Amino acid sequence: METPAVSTTGEKDTSQPQQQWEKNLRENFDSVTQIRQQPRDPPTEALELGVSPDPASQILENTQGTEKLVAELEGDSHKSHGSTSQMPEALQASDLWYCPDGSFVKKIIIRGHGLDKPKLGSCCRVLALGFPFGSGPPEGWTELTMGVGPWREETWGELIEKCLESMCQGEEAELQLPGHSGPPVRLTLASFTQGRDSWELETSEKEALAREERARGTELFRAGNAEGAARCYGRALRLLLTLPPPGPPERTVLHANLAACQLLLGQPQLAARSCDRVLEREPGHLKALYRRGVAQAALGNLEKATADLKKVLAIDPKNRAAQEELGKVVIQGKKQDAGLAQGLRKMFG
């Protein structure tokens, strides 16, 4: 099969104004990344399915911050483009698409045609260039199937899949990534086959896909890849969340497994919320109680941590992990009390 020719008729001028726009974009991205790292209360259950306090995960943070970023980008574009004599085509809001979880901003270089976009099961012929990660996608043109295959477990795989879901056939785009100061990543979607939206799947199909994701996630977790496992568990949960309540019992196991991954990834706030989902359905779930206790201790909520760990020991008095963790919480509490007492003495002494 011949490599499809890529037209360059839609490319923007790479003059000084364009370089200034890219510089502003990177600076704005740094500020958004800092905002996203501040703790907040996500509004919906979907927020717990992300894996990054930034990227694996986190799943859908800081909408206002990202909207501010895009507003600034549009403002910078008008400032830097100047007159039409300097730049044939000014950057429009429609040229930008920002991923809901804030992991990247897409700038359209060449518009695609049609309205259809890749869906679950679509086989996409793509070309990706400039990825900063240690192992990027294969060199040259490659075929990727949406929702299927081990390529999705890579860091670049999750990013590409998110972007492809927003692209039309023939589209070429640049991706600006937080913390990446090199040339923009470029992604081209030459063609794709017809797929299906998740709502078009039968209940049995969704459950089968969720079981596959769960099994793969468990394999990755046992191999020490908590980030990849979290992605699999998150995808499985997103499939099952579309089913009528109360949903299948697998949701409880998936939330508990996701919490374990989030703890290993240093995301105690998300882990605590994942455990909340488990305990809403099974108040005596030992693993969820223990993991929430560990998460609360990491967040400095020692009273809540103590309460959860004591519940574990009330059910299973010989639970060694809970005994050790409770001992750590007691020591941490004494240090906090000592620090508070010293501060009070300085204040009133």
Side-chain angles (χ1 to χ4, degrees):
M1 182 179 294
E2 294 183 0
T3 301
V6 179
S7 169
T8 59
T9 56
E11 293 187 355
K12 302 282 189 299
D13 183 9
T14 55
S15 60
Q16 182 64 30
Q18 182 69 5
Q19 295 173 6
Q20 180 63 37
W21 181 89
E22 293 175 352
K23 178 181 178 183
N24 291 338
L25 177 57
R26 288 192 293 269
E27 292 173 350
N28 290 332
F29 236 135
D30 291 339
S31 65
V32 170
T33 303
Q34 293 172 359
I35 294 172
R36 291 175 60 247
Q37 290 173 346
Q38 297 176 4
R40 57 181 57 80
D41 293 328
T44 65
E45 180 176 359
L47 301 187
E48 286 132 36
L49 306 187
V51 283
S52 88
D54 88 334
S57 71
Q58 307 305 334
I59 268 149
L60 313 169
E61 307 172 35
N62 192 34
T63 302
Q64 294 180 349
T66 312
E67 289 174 347
K68 180 180 178 183
L69 166 63
V70 173
E72 291 175 353
L73 293 177
E74 294 168 7
D76 289 342
S77 69
H78 294 307
K79 294 176 184 178
S80 60
H81 287 161
S83 65
T84 55
S85 61
Q86 291 179 311
M87 182 65 69
E89 181 182 352
L91 182 66
Q92 303 294 326
S94 57
D95 291 322
L96 297 173
W97 181 83
Y98 50 104
C99 187
D101 65 2
S103 58
F104 66 90
V105 169
K106 182 186 77 171
K107 175 188 171 186
I108 298 175
I109 303 301
I110 299 177
R111 293 185 178 279
H113 51 273
L115 298 176
D116 290 339
K117 296 177 173 62
K119 301 176 182 178
L120 181 65
S122 293
C123 182
C124 304
R125 185 164 176 76
V126 302
L127 176 65
L129 301 171
F131 272 78
F133 310 116
S135 58
E139 292 292 331
W141 291 91
T142 187
E143 292 186 351
L144 304 173
T145 302
M146 300 290 287
V148 179
W151 66 273
R152 303 163 70 228
E153 296 157 13
E154 304 289 343
T155 303
W156 60 266
E158 183 182 29
L159 188 86
I160 287 181
E161 188 167 46
K162 290 177 187 176
C163 189
L164 288 175
E165 289 174 347
S166 73
M167 298 179 74
C168 297
Q169 183 168 323
E171 181 178 322
E172 184 175 345
E174 286 183 352
L175 309 183
Q176 295 288 347
L177 313 178
H180 176 49
S181 58
V185 171
R186 183 164 291 210
L187 188 65
T188 302
L189 174 61
S191 62
F192 61 90
T193 60
Q194 186 175 4
R196 292 190 293 173
D197 285 311
S198 60
W199 56 266
E200 297 178 281
L201 300 176
E202 299 290 339
T203 298
S204 58
E205 293 178 293
K206 292 179 182 180
E207 291 177 341
L209 287 172
R211 283 194 296 270
E212 291 178 10
E213 293 285 5
R214 174 186 168 185
R216 181 57 180 158
T218 301
E219 287 181 16
L220 292 171
F221 186 83
R222 289 173 177 170
N225 185 354
E227 187 173 356
R231 292 194 188 100
C232 291
Y233 295 141
R235 287 194 292 260
L237 279 166
R238 282 190 287 273
L239 284 165
L240 298 180
L241 285 173
T242 62
L243 299 179
E250 286 82 5
R251 285 176 55 179
T252 300
V253 178
L254 286 167
H255 276 300
N257 291 352
L258 181 59
C261 296
Q262 290 164 334
L263 284 173
L264 290 176
L265 293 170
Q267 300 163 6
Q269 189 172 30
L270 291 174
R273 291 196 176 94
S274 293
C275 292
D276 287 342
R277 300 302 179 195
V278 177
L279 296 169
E280 286 170 3
R281 296 169 69 108
E282 294 185 27
H285 196 288
L286 280 180
K287 290 183 178 179
L289 284 169
Y290 171 75
R291 289 167 187 168
R292 191 172 68 175
V294 173
Q296 295 292 6
L299 292 168
N301 301 325
L302 302 186
E303 289 185 6
K304 292 181 178 180
T306 300
D308 281 337
L309 294 170
K310 284 184 175 180
K311 288 178 182 178
V312 174
L313 292 173
I315 299 171
D316 181 11
K318 296 182 180 180
N319 191 307
R320 189 168 181 177
Q323 291 173 352
E324 292 178 355
E325 191 64 31
L326 183 59
K328 294 177 184 178
V329 170
V330 171
I331 293 173
Q332 189 175 350
K334 290 180 178 179
K335 289 181 179 179
Q336 275 191 4
D337 292 342
L340 178 61
Q342 184 177 3
L344 291 173
R345 283 195 298 269
K346 288 182 179 180
M347 184 180 298
F348 297 105

